[in-house]
Amino acid sequence: MNKRQRLDSVIAGQRPDRLPVLGGWIAHPRALVELAGASVEEYNRAPREVAVRAYKALDVDGLVDLFVTKDVDAYRCIDEHTYAKAGSSRDFDETVAAVEGLPDADEYAGRLNFDADYANYRQWLLETQALCGDIPYMPANWGAGAKLSWFFDYGYENFFLLIGLRPDLGAKLCRLGGEMGHHNSRLVASAVKEGLFPRALLLGEDVCTQRGPMISMEFVEEHYAPALTYGLEPLLEVGCRPVWHADGDVRPMLPMLLRCGIEGFQGFQPECGMHLEEIVKLRTRDGGKLLIFGPLAVTTELPVLSPAEIRAKVRHYAEVCRDNADLLLFTSNTITPDVPVETIQAMHDEARRIV
């Protein structure tokens, strides 16, 4: 099998010639340099090209991103200027006024130009795929599905106050977020129909802490679930499997996510109770097996276990998923400089041995 055939086989619930591995989240530029056999100067001049060479050396079967940084000694894509803060420049009354001034979902939909947006999205996919060569490019789309993380726009304090004190405006944001997500899902669905994108998409929202969802499940069920169901429709209509990025303790949300149409999960922080052995017992709303991107933890496994122990974890997770779930081996989050290159290599090498 070639790489695309291997991916397509797993996504379709069939057994490939060997366990496929996804790449794209090595946030450790010096590891990329070493794996690619490149120089620091090359990375600083052309980081994406060096990253692709590194993933080719690892023989990955798909790329969910090309995580690169501004220079070889950085390992974060965000800083104090770009990350969501607890507060914002607005006070609560100003936030209320801003949300009241937003278009409703129907008005927003009427302003969209799908053809122009798809032309730009398609061109970006083609250009990046040309860079990746024979490695299928299947980037995460965090805007697909439905937007719930409006704290990036209004700050944490204002957003959670809004949910508690003005649930009518929280509901408005959910409806608007569903329309946004539906539009993004349509873009991906059109690429799937053209054969430009595999039939699985990584998406999701970081709305859980290590103690569960940051918003009450009552609010989520009433307002966010309908928006997410609507937002996923274009993907499901073309047979593209939505895979939810599961940071934190997502267990209280799992039943709702599956009812909405989510067909797989990626992430898995075992320290939060997210254990693959339990999750593979779940089924999609149609009774099918889940699609798993993962589950090697960047907290409790990759940074602290030896290469031999990581090889054993790869074999264990492959066996856990055999006949229970469809597995594309991946990590729970970005690989940072606390993970040795030898460990990264061991993970990928062991996967190639598993049939």
Side-chain angles (χ1 to χ4, degrees):
M1 289 183 168
N2 62 32
K3 296 177 186 298
R4 179 61 185 263
Q5 291 169 335
R6 197 169 291 123
L7 287 180
D8 289 345
S9 175
V10 172
I11 293 168
Q14 301 164 357
R15 182 167 292 181
D17 58 340
R18 63 167 175 81
L19 177 62
V21 186
L22 298 177
W25 277 8
I26 298 179
H28 182 354
R30 289 190 178 272
L32 293 172
V33 167
E34 182 175 341
L35 290 164
S39 66
V40 168
E41 290 73 23
E42 284 180 283
Y43 180 87
N44 286 334
R45 183 172 62 251
R48 298 209 311 159
E49 287 78 359
V50 170
V52 168
R53 284 164 54 187
Y55 290 119
K56 287 185 175 181
L58 291 170
D59 196 23
V60 302
D61 296 287
L63 288 169
V64 299
D65 205 343
L66 275 176
F67 188 108
V68 294
T69 54
K70 294 178 181 178
D71 64 72
V72 76
D73 290 314
Y75 65 94
R76 298 290 290 171
C77 61
I78 55 177
D79 57 26
E80 69 275 15
H81 303 294
T82 56
Y83 196 69
K85 298 180 175 62
S88 77
S89 59
R90 296 184 179 95
D91 63 23
F92 180 66
D93 290 338
E94 291 170 331
T95 299
V96 168
V99 176
E100 287 177 334
L102 291 175
D104 62 25
D106 290 341
E107 182 183 351
Y108 173 82
R111 298 178 183 179
L112 295 170
N113 185 333
F114 178 80
D115 291 340
D117 289 348
Y118 182 63
N120 291 331
Y121 178 69
R122 184 180 187 275
Q123 183 63 31
W124 172 68
L125 279 180
L126 290 171
E127 290 174 356
T128 311
Q129 185 60 69
L131 174 65
C132 296
D134 68 338
I135 306 176
Y137 185 54
M138 47 188 299
N141 190 319
W142 306 118
K147 180 176 178 176
L148 183 59
S149 55
W150 290 90
F151 42 77
F152 283 98
D153 301 83
Y154 302 111
Y156 284 104
E157 292 177 1
N158 286 330
F159 175 70
F160 292 122
L161 282 171
L162 194 77
I163 296 296
L165 298 177
R166 290 294 305 271
D168 59 317
L169 294 182
K172 177 182 181 178
L173 290 177
C174 285
R175 292 191 297 272
L176 183 56
E179 199 62 61
M180 292 174 171
H182 187 271
H183 180 69
N184 279 290
S185 292
R186 283 186 66 200
L187 298 176
V188 178
S190 294
V192 169
K193 286 192 289 186
E194 279 199 74
L196 303 179
F197 202 105
R199 293 182 181 273
L201 174 68
L202 178 58
L203 47 75
E205 297 266 59
D206 278 341
V207 292
C208 292
T209 70
Q210 294 186 344
R211 295 180 293 177
M214 293 188 284
I215 303 170
S216 75
M217 284 306 301
E218 291 79 8
F219 181 92
V220 169
E221 290 276 7
E222 182 176 358
H223 300 294
Y224 181 66
L228 181 60
T229 301
Y230 171 67
L232 295 175
E233 285 176 358
L235 298 172
L236 297 172
E237 287 171 358
V238 298
C240 182
R241 306 183 69 181
V243 176
W244 186 269
H245 173 60
D247 267 359
D249 185 357
V250 188
R251 290 175 295 174
M253 294 185 68
L254 295 178
M256 179 275 294
L257 292 170
L258 294 170
R259 288 197 307 273
C260 291
I262 294 297
E263 294 197 357
F265 295 99
Q266 180 274 327
F268 309 106
Q269 287 183 258
E271 69 271 29
C272 300
M274 293 287 291
H275 298 293
L276 183 67
E277 292 81 358
E278 295 300 317
I279 291 170
V280 296
K281 299 175 184 177
L282 302 174
R283 291 293 178 261
T284 70
R285 68 183 184 188
D286 296 326
K289 295 183 294 184
L290 294 181
L291 176 59
I292 302 298
F293 289 9
L296 287 167
V298 298
T299 48
T300 60
E301 293 176 340
L302 287 167
V304 296
L305 299 182
S306 69
E309 290 170 321
I310 289 297
R311 288 178 182 273
K313 285 288 185 182
V314 170
R315 293 192 299 271
H316 170 71
Y317 290 135
E319 193 58 35
V320 167
C321 288
R322 194 179 301 276
D323 300 323
N324 295 312
D326 304 315
L327 176 63
L328 297 175
L329 192 72
F330 193 42
T331 57
S332 63
N333 214 301
T334 51
I335 294 176
T336 47
D338 54 353
V339 180
V341 171
E342 295 76 18
T343 302
I344 299 171
Q345 291 171 318
M347 164 190 162
H348 289 79
D349 179 65
E350 193 61 34
R352 288 192 291 270
R353 301 168 185 262
I354 297 174
V355 297

